[in-house]
mmCIF file of all heavy atoms in Angstrom:
data_model
loop_
_atom_site.group_PDB
_atom_site.id
_atom_site.type_symbol
_atom_site.label_atom_id
_atom_site.label_comp_id
_atom_site.label_asym_id
_atom_site.label_seq_id
_atom_site.Cartn_x
_atom_site.Cartn_y
_atom_site.Cartn_z
ATOM 1 N N ASP W 89 -59.571 16.943 -67.935
ATOM 2 C CA ASP W 89 -58.473 17.209 -66.987
ATOM 3 C C ASP W 89 -57.408 16.129 -67.117
ATOM 4 O O ASP W 89 -56.201 16.402 -67.066
ATOM 5 C CB ASP W 89 -59.005 17.210 -65.544
ATOM 6 C CG ASP W 89 -60.112 18.247 -65.353
ATOM 7 O OD1 ASP W 89 -59.979 19.334 -65.921
ATOM 8 O OD2 ASP W 89 -61.098 17.932 -64.655
ATOM 9 N N ILE W 90 -57.859 14.866 -67.271
ATOM 10 C CA ILE W 90 -56.910 13.759 -67.397
ATOM 11 C C ILE W 90 -56.093 13.941 -68.684
ATOM 12 O O ILE W 90 -54.877 13.792 -68.694
ATOM 13 C CB ILE W 90 -57.644 12.397 -67.393
ATOM 14 C CG1 ILE W 90 -58.270 12.144 -66.012
ATOM 15 C CG2 ILE W 90 -56.696 11.259 -67.764
ATOM 16 C CD1 ILE W 90 -59.044 10.857 -65.898
ATOM 17 N N ARG W 91 -56.796 14.305 -69.770
ATOM 18 C CA ARG W 91 -56.109 14.482 -71.056
ATOM 19 C C ARG W 91 -55.022 15.553 -70.943
ATOM 20 O O ARG W 91 -53.887 15.354 -71.380
ATOM 21 C CB ARG W 91 -57.139 14.863 -72.122
ATOM 22 C CG ARG W 91 -56.585 15.004 -73.526
ATOM 23 C CD ARG W 91 -57.710 15.277 -74.534
ATOM 24 N NE ARG W 91 -58.599 16.377 -74.118
ATOM 25 C CZ ARG W 91 -58.291 17.669 -74.203
ATOM 26 N NH1 ARG W 91 -57.103 18.027 -74.679
ATOM 27 N NH2 ARG W 91 -59.140 18.589 -73.798
ATOM 28 N N ARG W 92 -55.350 16.680 -70.298
ATOM 29 C CA ARG W 92 -54.364 17.760 -70.166
ATOM 30 C C ARG W 92 -53.214 17.338 -69.270
ATOM 31 O O ARG W 92 -52.056 17.631 -69.545
ATOM 32 C CB ARG W 92 -55.030 19.012 -69.597
ATOM 33 C CG ARG W 92 -55.945 19.683 -70.597
ATOM 34 C CD ARG W 92 -56.485 21.009 -70.072
ATOM 35 N NE ARG W 92 -57.723 21.322 -70.763
ATOM 36 C CZ ARG W 92 -58.936 21.218 -70.219
ATOM 37 N NH1 ARG W 92 -59.066 20.880 -68.951
ATOM 38 N NH2 ARG W 92 -60.005 21.488 -70.936
ATOM 39 N N ALA W 93 -53.548 16.651 -68.178
ATOM 40 C CA ALA W 93 -52.491 16.224 -67.250
ATOM 41 C C ALA W 93 -51.526 15.256 -67.951
ATOM 42 O O ALA W 93 -50.303 15.362 -67.793
ATOM 43 C CB ALA W 93 -53.115 15.543 -66.029
ATOM 44 N N VAL W 94 -52.071 14.345 -68.755
ATOM 45 C CA VAL W 94 -51.217 13.376 -69.449
ATOM 46 C C VAL W 94 -50.313 14.099 -70.446
ATOM 47 O O VAL W 94 -49.113 13.812 -70.549
ATOM 48 C CB VAL W 94 -52.072 12.292 -70.151
ATOM 49 C CG1 VAL W 94 -51.209 11.429 -71.068
ATOM 50 C CG2 VAL W 94 -52.778 11.428 -69.110
ATOM 51 N N ALA W 95 -50.882 15.091 -71.150
ATOM 52 C CA ALA W 95 -50.075 15.855 -72.113
ATOM 53 C C ALA W 95 -48.924 16.559 -71.398
ATOM 54 O O ALA W 95 -47.784 16.551 -71.860
ATOM 55 C CB ALA W 95 -50.963 16.853 -72.852
ATOM 56 N N ARG W 96 -49.233 17.155 -70.237
ATOM 57 C CA ARG W 96 -48.174 17.862 -69.490
ATOM 58 C C ARG W 96 -47.112 16.886 -68.995
ATOM 59 O O ARG W 96 -45.909 17.142 -69.105
ATOM 60 C CB ARG W 96 -48.781 18.624 -68.300
ATOM 61 C CG ARG W 96 -47.719 19.301 -67.440
ATOM 62 C CD ARG W 96 -48.304 20.157 -66.334
ATOM 63 N NE ARG W 96 -49.292 19.465 -65.512
ATOM 64 C CZ ARG W 96 -48.974 18.606 -64.544
ATOM 65 N NH1 ARG W 96 -47.701 18.336 -64.291
ATOM 66 N NH2 ARG W 96 -49.910 18.024 -63.845
ATOM 67 N N LEU W 97 -47.573 15.727 -68.481
ATOM 68 C CA LEU W 97 -46.617 14.735 -67.990
ATOM 69 C C LEU W 97 -45.680 14.294 -69.119
ATOM 70 O O LEU W 97 -44.468 14.157 -68.924
ATOM 71 C CB LEU W 97 -47.359 13.516 -67.416
ATOM 72 C CG LEU W 97 -48.078 13.745 -66.084
ATOM 73 C CD1 LEU W 97 -48.973 12.558 -65.740
ATOM 74 C CD2 LEU W 97 -47.072 13.993 -64.963
ATOM 75 N N ALA W 98 -46.246 14.105 -70.319
ATOM 76 C CA ALA W 98 -45.422 13.681 -71.458
ATOM 77 C C ALA W 98 -44.373 14.752 -71.776
ATOM 78 O O ALA W 98 -43.197 14.436 -71.991
ATOM 79 C CB ALA W 98 -46.308 13.409 -72.669
ATOM 80 N N HIS W 99 -44.809 16.026 -71.756
ATOM 81 C CA HIS W 99 -43.847 17.118 -72.010
ATOM 82 C C HIS W 99 -42.758 17.129 -70.946
ATOM 83 O O HIS W 99 -41.583 17.324 -71.255
ATOM 84 C CB HIS W 99 -44.580 18.465 -72.017
ATOM 85 C CG HIS W 99 -45.231 18.778 -73.330
ATOM 86 N ND1 HIS W 99 -44.535 18.845 -74.500
ATOM 87 C CD2 HIS W 99 -46.524 19.015 -73.651
ATOM 88 C CE1 HIS W 99 -45.360 19.124 -75.501
ATOM 89 N NE2 HIS W 99 -46.581 19.224 -75.007
ATOM 90 N N GLU W 100 -43.147 16.962 -69.702
ATOM 91 C CA GLU W 100 -42.158 17.001 -68.608
ATOM 92 C C GLU W 100 -41.128 15.896 -68.748
ATOM 93 O O GLU W 100 -39.936 16.112 -68.545
ATOM 94 C CB GLU W 100 -42.873 16.884 -67.256
ATOM 95 C CG GLU W 100 -43.546 18.189 -66.838
ATOM 96 C CD GLU W 100 -44.242 18.084 -65.476
ATOM 97 O OE1 GLU W 100 -44.083 17.047 -64.792
ATOM 98 O OE2 GLU W 100 -44.940 19.032 -65.115
ATOM 99 N N VAL W 101 -41.615 14.682 -69.098
ATOM 100 C CA VAL W 101 -40.697 13.551 -69.269
ATOM 101 C C VAL W 101 -39.705 13.869 -70.387
ATOM 102 O O VAL W 101 -38.490 13.668 -70.249
ATOM 103 C CB VAL W 101 -41.487 12.255 -69.583
ATOM 104 C CG1 VAL W 101 -40.548 11.149 -70.045
ATOM 105 C CG2 VAL W 101 -42.281 11.803 -68.356
#
Side-chain angles (χ1 to χ4, degrees):
Chain W
D89 302 321
I90 293 179
R91 183 176 50 77
R92 288 186 203 106
V94 170
R96 176 175 52 79
L97 288 170
H99 277 302
E100 283 181 8
V101 168

